[in-house]
Structures are given as C-alpha cells and as structure tokens.
Amino acid sequence: MKVLLLKDPKEDECGQDPYIRELGLCGLDATLIPVLSFEFLSLASFAEKLARPDSYGGLIFTSPRAVQAAELCLEKSSQTEVWKETLKEQWNAKPVYVVGEATASLVRRLGLDPEGEGSGNAERLAEHICSRSPPALPLLFPCGSLKGEALPRALRDQGVPLESLTVYQNAPHPGIRDSLHSYYAQQGVPASITFFSPSGLSYSLKHIQELSGDSIGEIKFAAIGPTTAHALAARGLPVSCTAASPTPRALAAGIRAALQLGPR
C-alpha cells in the first residue's frame, strides 16, 4: 500500500529517513516529496544575541530550521571557538526548550541539553515552560516567518518574558509540481498523504486536488500534529489521523490505524 509524505528526506545514522523505515516496517511503501524551501534571515542579529547569554533566561527552539540557523551563525562568525569554550556552558546553565525529537537531536549536536521534547507541540511546550518559575530575563525564541501564535500568547498570558526573532522564511519548493505529477504518473493515487506543516499544505493542496480528481475522497489524510490537523480541517479535508507525537513511530501507528491494517 502506497503512502505519500510531504517533507524533506532526512537520513539518520543508518543512512535512511526514519519515517520511510518505520512505515516500511508496517508494510507500507512510503515516498517523500519536499514541498518547502527555506531562506535564512537576520543571522547577524541572531549571532549577536547568541553571544550574550547573560541577557536571556533561556532558549526556545520549535523547529529544526531554527537550530540550523544557530549552526550557521556559529559557522560564519568568530564565535565558534568561544562557543566551544564559554558560551555553550553559559547557555547550558539556562533551560533550552524544544519541540520534537528531530529538533532535540540537532540541539544536542550544538552541545546543548534540551528539555520538553516530549511535549509534542508548541501548545504543550508552552504549558511545560509555564509550569516553571517565570524567568527574570526574556527567553530567546528564534522562529520562522509563519510561526503560530499559540506559544507566544500562552507565555505572554502567564507573564513569561519572550523575545522572538525571525531567522527563516519558507516558500514553495521549486520542484513540487513536477515531483507530484511524476509520482502520480508512476504510482497512482496514494492510500494516504501526510502533511507536516500548514504552509506545506497550502503549497501542495491545489496540485493534489487536481491530480487526485474524483479519487480524493479515498485518500486518508494524516497530520504530524494538531496545528497541521486544524489547517487540514479548515480546508474542508477529513483528517483521518493526527500523530500522537511528531515522531516516525507515532505517525506510522496513526496511518496503520487509519488504513485499518491492524497491529504490526
């Protein structure tokens, strides 16, 4: 049974995308198609802020792209050695909050110790942050241009100071139309399609509707989390499953249940 995942491929230590592997273990033939491209912004300003940990009460990363922006700041600046010797220790003396295993893994690669990865989405991460004593200094929140407002609003309502900085923006992947047309021509209409972000949904839905035609009602649509599920519902599409957490295993379990495949 064929399933389509609208995301970038990311190889793990085994040289395979973990979503492809996990779905393969379930007997599903999964294909990845990238739908987003990214441009990093304000890296000089971000580097300056990373060099001043004494000005902040901690860090918040809600996407791998934000962590990659931090990596770029360190690679392109004179702070790399200072980071290794001093700044890393100073930031590790403060909380570094993250959403999801992929983001947590990249944060660890920076040498930082993340917390909150099990929260699963920004709303629950906000609850985790608010359960702690509010910091006297603002939390530094590098984010994308299309960030949701749930986390900033929740922190603001609880009196947690926050300083947001837009460090990347997204756009449609230039090859999305051709990739989707090629997939449908070779594989046909998939049994399930998973969306990984509201913006990815916006950029790909028109093509999927055109290519699927009258068969679109047969597709089980899946979302990696509640924010994307809400975006699907707002477009009038039935959400067959929302991953219990943004992980390959949770998504595979949700898709299996939606396709009524039974236990693995």
Side-chain angles (χ1 to χ4, degrees):
M1 194 171 288
K2 300 182 185 302
V3 298
L4 179 59
L5 309 180
L6 300 179
K7 67 178 288 291
D8 286 340
K10 300 288 184 184
E11 291 186 358
D12 60 12
E13 62 276 5
C14 300
Q16 186 180 26
D17 185 279
Y19 286 91
I20 294 288
R21 183 177 62 253
E22 196 67 35
L23 287 162
L25 292 173
C26 296
L28 296 169
D29 181 6
T31 299
L32 302 175
I33 292 182
V35 294
L36 298 176
S37 60
F38 295 88
E39 177 186 2
F40 290 103
L41 309 169
S42 307
L43 292 186
S45 178
F46 189 22
E48 179 185 345
K49 294 176 187 299
L50 286 173
R52 295 188 286 107
D54 55 334
S55 298
Y56 299 97
L59 277 164
I60 302 176
F61 291 107
T62 58
S63 72
R65 296 292 176 185
V67 188
Q68 290 167 356
E71 289 180 318
L72 287 174
C73 287
L74 298 173
E75 290 172 3
K76 294 181 179 180
S77 75
S78 59
Q79 298 292 343
T80 303
E81 292 304 318
V82 178
W83 173 264
K84 292 178 181 178
E85 297 175 5
T86 306
L87 295 179
K88 182 168 61 176
E89 294 181 5
Q90 293 179 25
W91 279 114
N92 267 329
K94 306 168 185 287
V96 181
Y97 299 108
V98 302
V99 169
E101 293 180 1
T103 303
S105 176
L106 290 175
V107 166
R108 292 189 184 96
R109 196 166 73 186
L110 280 180
L112 299 176
D113 299 321
E115 64 173 273
E117 63 186 280
S119 53
N121 59 60
E123 291 87 343
R124 288 204 287 266
L125 179 63
E127 293 174 3
H128 174 76
I129 295 171
C130 292
S131 70
R132 302 182 55 148
S133 298
L137 297 171
L139 300 174
L140 179 58
F141 178 32
C143 55
S145 58
L146 298 179
K147 75 177 187 305
E149 290 303 317
L151 184 144
R153 182 170 55 248
L155 297 187
R156 183 172 59 249
D157 291 346
Q158 295 298 316
V160 177
L162 183 71
E163 183 177 322
S164 301
L165 177 67
T166 300
V167 296
Y168 68 91
Q169 64 183 6
N170 56 34
H173 192 283
I176 179 175
R177 181 184 180 280
D178 290 344
S179 295
L180 284 169
H181 276 256
S182 176
Y183 175 87
Y184 272 77
Q186 297 176 26
Q187 308 285 354
V189 178
S192 175
I193 298 177
T194 300
F195 296 94
F196 285 76
S197 69
S199 52
L201 167 66
S202 297
Y203 297 146
S204 60
L205 182 57
K206 178 182 177 181
H207 302 302
I208 288 169
Q209 290 171 324
E210 291 175 352
L211 291 165
S212 300
D214 294 339
S215 298
I216 195 166
E218 302 170 10
I219 300 172
K220 302 295 185 183
F221 290 106
I224 195 61
T227 302
T228 305
H230 293 156
L232 269 168
R235 296 285 190 128
L237 295 175
V239 184
S240 296
C241 84
T242 303
S245 62
T247 63
R249 180 164 295 184
L251 179 64
I255 292 176
R256 281 186 64 85
L259 296 174
Q260 300 180 341
L261 298 180
R264 190 164 75 187

